[in-house]
Amino acid sequence: MAIREFGELESAIMDALWRADRPLAVREVRESMDYDRDVAYTTVMTVTNILFHKGLLDRRKCGRAWQYWPRESREEHTARVMREVFSGCGDPHTTMLRFVESCSDEDMARLGAALREVRSRRARAS
């Protein structure tokens, strides 16, 4: 199950921008989106502007068009959303416990490797 912070169109726009290796104009975003139905240019422009005002995108003027790019990588964004979920829950320990209980063995191995890597980085930094 995916985190549902975004609506379908917002997700399609963010995915297109996360896949891009450079800032994109709205026309390019629209052309590169994976979306089930045709969406008007003006709709993509409006939603992209909303994502900018929400603080999720940066932009710069290029001629008459705006070019957009994500303020954070997909992974940084997901990690921030996860921190917000854990900090906003009633009992962080129990929430973390329930989360870990729901992890597959493969996810547990990745979690263990991530914890070892962070501990190692912190030990080197101090």
Side-chain angles (χ1 to χ4, degrees):
M1 175 180 226
I3 296 173
R4 295 296 307 166
E5 178 188 11
F6 300 125
E8 287 181 39
L9 183 54
E10 288 176 322
S11 289
I13 290 169
M14 291 301 296
D15 286 343
L17 289 164
W18 276 322
R19 284 192 313 270
D21 59 353
R22 61 182 176 76
L24 299 178
V26 172
R27 175 186 52 76
E28 296 170 305
V29 171
R30 184 173 175 259
E31 291 169 358
S32 63
M33 284 177 14
D34 289 328
Y35 200 62
D36 296 350
R37 54 193 179 274
D38 191 35
V39 181
Y41 171 88
T42 54
T43 301
V44 176
M45 182 176 61
T46 298
V47 175
T48 304
N49 190 48
I50 290 168
L51 290 167
F52 168 76
H53 287 289
K54 285 183 176 181
L56 296 161
L57 300 177
D58 275 326
R59 71 181 181 188
R60 69 173 173 237
K61 195 77 162 172
C62 187
R64 293 180 52 200
W66 289 102
Q67 290 184 328
Y68 292 88
W69 65 93
R71 285 196 175 170
E72 56 193 357
S73 70
R74 181 190 308 267
E75 294 78 12
E76 291 166 335
H77 173 77
T78 303
R80 182 178 52 77
V81 170
M82 291 170 67
R83 280 191 309 275
E84 290 171 5
V85 167
F86 283 120
S87 69
C89 66
D91 179 356
H93 173 78
T94 302
T95 302
M96 183 70 71
L97 181 64
R98 298 297 176 254
F99 170 74
V100 172
E101 287 172 344
S102 70
C103 289
S104 68
D105 289 343
E106 187 177 276
D107 287 340
M108 292 286 286
R110 279 194 288 268
L111 181 58
L115 288 169
R116 287 188 296 279
E117 184 176 334
V118 169
R119 285 185 185 125
S120 175
R121 287 182 192 173
R122 287 181 179 176
R124 285 192 305 263
S126 50

